Amino acid sequence: MFPNEHVYQRARRRSIAEGRRCVQADGSKRLLMVDECLDSVGTTIPGRSLYAQNETYLEFCNSGWEQQWKAGIGSFFVLLPCLLVFWGLYGFAIHPFITGNMLFLWFGAFEARSNFVWFGWLLLFPLSLGCCVLLWLWFDIMGARTCFFTYARGRIRFNRVTRKVYLLRPRGCGGNAVFDWDRLRAIVDMDGYDLLARKNGAPGKAAYYSLILYHPPLDAADPLAKGEDAIFVGPTLPMQQDAAPLWEYIRCYMEYGPGQEGIPERIEQQHTTYCGKPSPSQYRLEQRPGVMETMYHMLSQVTCSWPRFPKEWESDSGMGEPEEKPVQTGAVMTALVHRAQGKLSKTDEIEFLKRWGAAQTVQEARSQKA
C-alpha cells in the first residue's frame, strides 16, 4: 500500500506548489541536511520496519502495509453496494430498451413496466452517479487503488558505498527512482495532508505520520522542478516525534556504519520484516491482527507482485539481495523464514546461529554438519 506516495504525487500533479505544501517543503517546516545531527533524540527504529542491514546497505519498507487490511475491507463494502446499484440500473432502466424485458438481480427476466423503468431512471440513475463519486473518492482520493494490482510493498535502500538511495514504488506513485544521498533533506515533523481540503492537518489530528525525505529540484530556477520528489521511509508512525529518532538512525548509519554512533552491528529480529510476499501465518506473526484483518489483507495482497531492484542499478554493491542471501545481508526475519522452510544451507545456518543464536545451538549445528 502506498497512501503517502499517492497523496504526494496527486498533489504534485495539481501544481508544484501544492506538492511542496503536501510534504511541507514549502518553508513551513525545517529541512534537515544529511550532516545535521539531532543529539537530543537518540537513534531508534520502529519494529518490523527493516528488510536488511549490513556493512553496505540499509533497507527499509515504506509506510501503509500495516493498514492495508483496512483498504481490503473498505473496498469490499464500497464495491458491493455500488455493483448492486449499477446492476439495478441496468436491469430496470437500460435492459428494457434493449430486449423489452427487465432484470431483477438473479431472479431472471420479467416483462418491463413503465413504472419500474421510471423507478430505474429517477432513483437508480442518481444513485449510480453517487456511486461513481464514492468510487472515485475511495480508490483515487483516499488511495485505496494502491493496494491492488501493484507492488506488495515499497523498498527504500540506503547504500553507504555508492552514497545513493534506491527506491522501488509503483509507476502511479512516482515510479522507481535513484537519489543522491547528500541532496536529500529530512522532514521529521509532518502534519499530514488532506487532498480534498488541500491543506495540512494540525499536529495530533493526522491519521498517520511518517519520516519524509525531500529531494529538491536539480535546478532551483527550473519552473518544472525537474528531479523534485519525496520518499516516505519506514512504517506508519503512531506519534509525530517518532520520525526524528528514525532519521537520526539512518543518518548515523550512512555517515558511520554499523557498530558506531548508536548503530548496532547486527539488528535483532523484532526490528525486521520479511522481504517478500508473506504467507498468512507470517503476516499474523508480524502484525498480530485478528482473523478478519488477515483475510482482508490477503485479499489485497494476492493481486500484488513483489518488487525487485533492477540488476543494472547494482544497488547491492555485490552484497546480494535479502531474498537470495538473507544471512549475508542481515535480513534476520527473512533468514528465519528460510531456515524454517529448510532453504538455508548448513554453512548459512551455522553463520546465522553464530550471529543471532545461542552458543549451545551453534555447537549442535556444527556437530550435525560434521
Side-chain angles (χ1 to χ4, degrees):
M1 187 175 181
F2 300 83
N4 296 342
E5 294 87 344
H6 171 78
V7 168
Y8 170 68
Q9 294 296 333
R10 192 77 162 69
R12 195 174 188 278
R13 282 195 290 270
R14 289 174 177 172
S15 70
I16 294 172
E18 185 171 349
R20 291 173 183 169
R21 189 165 65 250
C22 174
V23 295
Q24 296 176 280
D26 57 351
S28 61
K29 297 289 184 179
R30 180 185 175 190
L31 302 182
L32 297 171
M33 301 180 68
V34 297
D35 58 354
E36 290 189 61
C37 180
L38 298 175
D39 293 323
S40 60
V41 300
T43 58
T44 58
I45 50 175
R48 306 302 180 205
S49 60
L50 276 174
Y51 291 125
Q53 176 183 299
N54 50 67
E55 289 286 345
T56 302
Y57 63 79
L58 175 73
E59 187 174 330
F60 274 94
C61 66
N62 72 315
S63 57
W65 188 64
E66 63 282 347
Q67 305 294 330
Q68 191 164 334
W69 69 271
K70 295 180 180 179
I73 192 171
S75 298
F76 177 81
F77 286 107
V78 167
L79 277 174
L80 183 61
C82 287
L83 290 175
L84 288 175
V85 170
F86 292 149
W87 180 243
L89 174 66
Y90 174 78
F92 281 92
I94 300 176
H95 193 71
F97 286 99
I98 301 175
T99 65
N101 295 321
M102 68 177 190
L103 296 176
F104 180 61
L105 299 178
W106 52 85
F107 297 109
F110 301 88
E111 180 182 355
R113 297 180 181 178
S114 60
N115 55 333
F116 287 114
V117 174
W118 280 111
F119 166 79
W121 284 108
L122 294 178
L123 179 63
L124 295 180
F125 179 68
L127 281 177
S128 296
L129 294 179
C131 286
C132 291
V133 174
L134 176 62
L135 291 172
W136 169 69
L137 289 173
W138 177 249
F139 285 103
D140 190 23
I141 297 298
M142 299 185 70
R145 66 184 181 88
T146 66
C147 299
F148 302 95
F149 305 101
T150 184
Y151 290 160
R153 300 182 76 175
R155 302 176 67 177
I156 305 111
R157 179 172 293 177
F158 300 86
N159 191 307
R160 296 185 64 243
V161 176
T162 62
R163 301 283 292 182
K164 292 185 181 296
V165 179
Y166 303 89
L167 173 63
L168 297 184
R169 61 189 174 185
R171 184 176 300 176
C173 295
N176 301 338
V178 182
F179 305 96
D180 290 326
W181 163 253
D182 296 300
R183 296 196 79 250
L184 293 175
R185 304 291 182 265
I187 301 170
V188 298
D189 51 353
M190 71 168 287
D191 294 331
Y193 190 74
D194 189 325
L195 269 178
L196 284 178
R198 298 193 175 191
K199 66 179 182 179
N200 298 101
K205 300 296 184 181
Y208 56 83
Y209 296 103
S210 180
L211 168 62
I212 302 174
L213 299 185
Y214 171 69
H215 187 269
L218 300 175
D219 181 0
D222 182 7
L224 299 178
K226 185 178 180 181
E228 186 178 52
D229 214 326
I231 312 171
F232 298 86
V233 185
T236 301
L237 302 175
M239 303 293 290
Q240 190 183 55
Q241 56 265 32
D242 292 335
L246 174 58
W247 161 245
E248 189 63 12
Y249 187 97
I250 296 170
R251 192 194 68 80
C252 288
Y253 170 86
M254 289 295 286
E255 297 303 317
Y256 306 106
Q260 302 182 61
E261 298 294 326
I263 306 301
E265 188 173 352
R266 297 187 181 95
I267 52 174
E268 299 300 323
Q269 68 87 15
Q270 64 267 23
H271 296 301
T272 62
T273 184
Y274 178 64
C275 190
K277 291 178 65 175
S279 64
S281 58
Q282 180 65 31
Y283 175 74
R284 286 194 298 269
L285 172 68
E286 293 192 26
Q287 296 297 317
R288 302 194 180 281
V291 176
M292 296 300 291
E293 295 172 17
T294 302
M295 183 184 74
Y296 283 109
H297 176 89
M298 290 297 137
L299 180 67
S300 167
Q301 181 182 277
V302 74
T303 68
C304 299
S305 60
W306 183 251
R308 292 182 177 272
F309 289 96
K311 293 291 184 183
E312 58 270 20
W313 282 8
E314 298 181 346
S315 61
D316 63 341
S317 295
M319 176 61 68
E321 296 295 329
E323 307 97 311
E324 300 163 359
K325 297 182 178 180
V327 177
Q328 292 82 353
T329 58
V332 189
M333 181 57 73
T334 309
L336 283 168
V337 173
H338 284 207
R339 183 169 182 254
Q341 296 174 345
K343 293 181 179 180
L344 293 183
S345 66
K346 284 296 181 182
T347 302
D348 283 348
E349 185 165 354
I350 292 174
E351 183 62 29
F352 171 78
L353 294 173
K354 283 171 62 179
R355 297 185 183 187
W356 296 288
Q360 181 180 357
T361 311
V362 176
Q363 187 59 42
E364 291 175 359
R366 283 174 172 167
S367 301
Q368 293 177 2
K369 182 182 179 182

